[in-house]
Structure formats: C-alpha cells, structure tokens
Amino acid sequence: MHVALVLPRFFPYRGGYENSLLALAKYLVAHNHRVTVFTTIADDLESFWLPSFKTFPEEQISVDGVVVRRFPIHYNALRRRATRLLGLAPYWRWKAQYWRPSFLVPGLSEALLASDADLFHIGPLPYNSLMYAGLHAGELRGVPVVATPCSHLGEPGNNAVAKHYLQPHQVAMLQHCTKVFCMTQTERDRLHELGISPDKLAITPFGIDWQSTVGGDPEFLRQKYKVDGPAVLHLGMKAFEKGSETLVEAMKILWARGSNAWLVMAGPSLSTFDNYIATAGKDCPRLLNLPPFADTEKRDFLASATVVAQPSRVESLGLVLIEAWANCKPVIAADIAVSRELVTSSGGGVTVPFGKAEQLAAAIEKMLSDPQLRQSMGAGGYKKAMEYQGDTPWQRTAQEFEQAVAHGQR
C-alpha cells in the first residue's frame, strides 16, 4: 500500500500533529508500506504569510524511509487577494480552495495527480486549500481519501474558535472523504451533528512515543536552569489561544502573594506572544521563557515539573496532557469539551475557564500546596496515558487505511 500524507508542515518542524504523522509514517514503512509526504517549506505558523520566515528548502528528502517532498508557498499579495475573491462564491469547492486561510502551493496539485498512491490522507483543519488539493487528487484518480481534521471545538457558548474549523465548506470536504478520523468521542459527536455519516467517522486518537516521553531527569530544571522551587510547566507553542498569556498573568498573581513557584515555558512562540512577554515578562525573575527544545529534552522537562499547565482552547486531543500523565504529573487544562473528556475520565487534573487568570491561579495554588492531591491526580492520569502508548494507535489507523483501500478496489 502506498499512502500519501498531505499536510502543511512536517518534520523537522515539531508539533503534535506533525510528530504524530511522522510516527504513523514510520510505523507504515516498518510494516512494508510506502509513504510519501506532500508538504510545504513552512517551519512555523507565520511562515504561511511571511516571506522567507523560518522555511525549509524546497526539496525531496528521506526520513527513515519516508519520502518527504516540500513545495514552495506563493506569497504574492495581489495574487492572494485576487483568488480570495473566488472564495466569496457560494460554492463549497471554491471556498475550500480560496477562502481564508488558504494559500497557493505551486506544483502540489500536479504532483498529487502524478502520484501512484493508493490512498490520500489529508488534514488538519483549517488548512483548507491543502486538504482540498488532496481530496481533489483522490477524486480524479479514483482512490480513497481519508482525513484527520483535528477539529478545534473551542469553549462552551463561544464560537470564536469553532467558526474557523467547522464552516459549511469544511464540513463538505469531510463529507466527501471515505473516512474521517476523530481524536475523541466529543469530536465524533460534533461532526455527526453537522451531518457527517456515522459510518464515515472513526475514533482513532494519536498516541505518544513512550521512550521519548518518560525516563527523564527529575533534577533537570534545578541543575540546568537553577530552578529552586516548584515548577509549573507550559510545553509547546506559546500563544494567546494556547492560554500562554493567561498563565503568565496567573503566575504573576501568585508571585504577588509570595509564591516561590517557577513558570517554565518551553517551545516555539508566535510573534504576538513575543510582543506580549517583552513587556509582561519584565521583573519576573521566576519566569523561564525557553525556545524550542530538542526531543531528548522533552522528557527531562516533564520529569522535573511539579505541575503541567496547558490552559488552551485550541485542542483536538491534548497530547501534552497525556505526556504529562505518562510522567505521573497532574495537569491543568482549559474548560473545553475535549479536555473535559480526557480529564474527567482520568481524574488526572482539573479544568478552568479559558482566559480567567484568577481561577487559573487558584487551581495552580491548590495543586502546589497539596502533594497528596498531585500524587492522586498523577496516578489517575498515568492509567489514562497507558491507553495511548506503543504502536496500538498507529495499528488502528493502518487497519483503517487498509480497509479503505480494499473497499475502493472492489
């Protein structure tokens, strides 16, 4: 079976979706399948609209037997505005190709059509134009197209996030796929409500790489960064939607009360967060704002943290929560449906309303003051994390791929 993975960014860019697709691709190759990744030169979210900002070379390489093809991004502003007008038309195929946040990737559609792939996998939302390129190639070639949209459902009673992920043209794309893979029951239920047939929907959550997640050095933060108190860890992208700014404000509340806890933020950041922290981070000696880290350091960060805080409203699963639980660490997440599903079923932490610094501060303070509570939550989370370890998640997805290909050949 030859699988084509169509996605906006790929290794060595490190994000939850990209890491998971790399693990899936390696699993498929190890089980005698071929995998070709069709992606762009982007090495950052802002690379999609800022010319020459953190990009990889346009090239074809091999990563552990996985063929990776990178295509350029068209940055011409006039061309983008002109095609955006087509996205105003009340036709889902045009909206999928041209409406925000679409961008042109020269050569991609032609390469997909020329591919001999037996199956196209597309995702995540809201990268509509790339997803549509994969869908259209599959339709023209008569091969199955499956999607992992990683829908972000946002907060209760607030459409600020969901409106970017569940627009009618995006739902139409998913309806035209052979199969749609959901991270949680919550996501499956929502997509069903929006009109996607339950026969198309499968719950196949991503997993975690246990070896790169556990077994770290519990003294890492103290020894390398001189962290001399409890450590609240925020791992991954730093952005407003990820709750990063609210977390800083919550910690400032605790520091004003005399807390000796540290806030350790490690990972890439959007420029908006950089601008925020340049001012908000002044006179915060217990704030450690670190750049993207090596894979070998992730487990050290997790092992040496006291609490992991990811109060994000843009999650389809929350792999950092699961990685924290693999290290028996309690977590604090935003009160969104997918996080509630994980946290409630495990007892591995608490949820707080997104953007509420006072309530977030109270949750952090309570955890830091109660070792028994942290231990109990960490133990509950560990049991939940066991469901996501090993090859089981990739095996389920591979089986779905094989069934889709076999059905398409009938």
Side-chain angles (χ1 to χ4, degrees):
M1 177 175 65
H2 181 194
V3 175
L5 304 178
V6 185
L7 67 162
R9 295 167 294 191
F10 195 65
F11 179 87
Y13 177 81
R14 305 302 263 173
Y17 191 89
E18 294 77 14
N19 291 343
S20 297
L21 268 288
L22 175 61
L24 171 61
K26 287 181 177 180
Y27 176 88
L28 291 169
V29 168
H31 289 77
N32 302 314
H33 299 296
R34 291 169 56 206
V35 179
T36 303
V37 173
F38 294 84
T39 188
T40 75
I41 59 174
D43 184 25
D44 192 275
L45 177 63
E46 292 170 301
S47 305
F48 294 119
W49 60 82
L50 296 178
S52 303
F53 181 82
K54 295 184 180 179
T55 57
F56 298 116
E58 180 187 343
E59 62 184 355
Q60 177 172 314
I61 61 174
S62 178
V63 179
D64 295 335
V66 179
V67 176
V68 181
R69 300 184 62 183
R70 298 189 194 281
F71 294 83
I73 298 169
H74 199 299
Y75 291 105
N76 184 280
L78 290 176
R79 177 77 180 274
R80 285 194 173 195
R81 292 190 186 111
T83 55
R84 194 80 75 217
L85 291 174
L86 296 174
L88 294 172
Y91 179 44
W92 76 266
R93 290 187 182 270
W94 285 11
K95 284 189 179 295
Q97 293 175 80
Y98 304 119
W99 192 238
R100 299 185 182 94
S102 64
F103 44 87
L104 299 174
V105 183
L108 174 63
S109 295
E110 294 80 0
L112 292 172
L113 282 172
S115 168
D116 64 351
D118 300 302
L119 175 142
F120 289 97
H121 175 278
I122 61 175
L125 289 172
Y127 298 97
N128 312 313
S129 54
L130 261 72
M131 291 181 66
Y132 184 81
L135 174 63
H136 191 52
E139 289 176 328
L140 292 177
R141 289 201 47 241
V143 299
V145 180
V146 299
T148 303
C150 287
S151 314
H152 292 172
L153 307 181
E155 312 161 71
N158 186 340
N159 196 40
V161 171
K163 68 181 182 181
H164 298 295
Y165 292 82
L166 300 173
Q167 298 177 73
H169 62 276
Q170 294 168 323
V171 174
M173 273 199 296
L174 299 180
Q175 288 173 326
H176 282 75
C177 289
T178 305
K179 206 79 175 181
V180 178
F181 302 131
C182 306
M183 293 293 103
T184 61
Q185 183 68 45
T186 298
E187 183 183 12
R188 184 191 183 281
D189 292 345
R190 183 66 181 122
L191 293 179
H192 183 206
E193 289 173 4
L194 291 170
I196 299 175
S197 170
D199 295 338
K200 289 180 180 282
L201 298 170
I203 301 175
T204 56
F206 291 150
I208 62 172
D209 181 353
W210 206 260
Q211 288 187 336
S212 68
T213 302
V214 303
D217 180 5
E219 296 296 313
F220 172 73
L221 287 173
R222 185 181 66 83
Q223 292 180 351
K224 183 169 183 176
Y225 296 106
K226 311 305 179 187
V227 171
D228 59 358
V232 177
L233 178 65
H234 184 63
L235 207 59
M237 178 62 73
K238 288 168 280 191
F240 173 78
E241 302 289 357
K242 288 289 186 178
S244 310
E245 296 178 18
T246 305
L247 182 54
V248 172
E249 296 302 318
M251 291 303 298
K252 289 168 74 172
I253 292 171
L254 296 184
W255 291 326
R257 296 174 185 167
S259 174
N260 69 335
W262 285 71
L263 173 58
V264 179
M265 312 181 86
S269 58
L270 294 185
S271 59
T272 49
F273 178 81
D274 295 335
N275 295 335
Y276 159 81
I277 204 67
T279 301
K282 290 180 179 179
D283 302 320
C284 295
R286 290 184 173 270
L287 168 62
L288 190 59
N289 183 27
L290 300 173
F293 47 88
D295 285 348
T296 53
E297 288 188 319
K298 178 171 69 174
R299 61 183 182 177
D300 292 329
F301 279 113
L302 290 164
S304 53
T306 309
V307 171
V308 175
Q310 301 290 129
S312 166
R313 67 175 180 179
V314 284
E315 300 294 334
S316 58
L317 179 60
L319 288 174
V320 174
L321 304 183
I322 298 169
E323 290 171 338
W325 288 334
N327 285 271
C328 297
K329 305 295 181 179
V331 305
I332 301 174
D335 185 25
I336 60 175
V338 293
S339 295
R340 283 200 306 275
E341 180 178 330
L342 278 179
V343 173
T344 301
S345 64
S346 67
V350 298
T351 61
V352 297
F354 175 81
K356 304 297 184 182
E358 283 282 0
Q359 294 183 49
L360 179 56
I364 295 171
E365 188 172 44
K366 182 177 181 180
M367 272 193 192
L368 293 180
S369 66
D370 193 338
Q372 289 187 335
L373 177 64
R374 294 199 305 271
Q375 182 178 17
S376 173
M377 288 181 170
Y382 182 82
K383 293 179 182 178
K384 187 68 175 178
M386 294 291 287
E387 300 175 15
Y388 298 87
Q389 70 160 327
D391 286 339
T392 302
W394 317 128
Q395 183 180 17
R396 287 197 297 260
T397 304
Q399 289 172 346
E400 291 282 358
F401 285 5
E402 291 168 348
Q403 291 172 10
V405 169
H407 182 76
Q409 292 174 344
R410 292 174 188 169

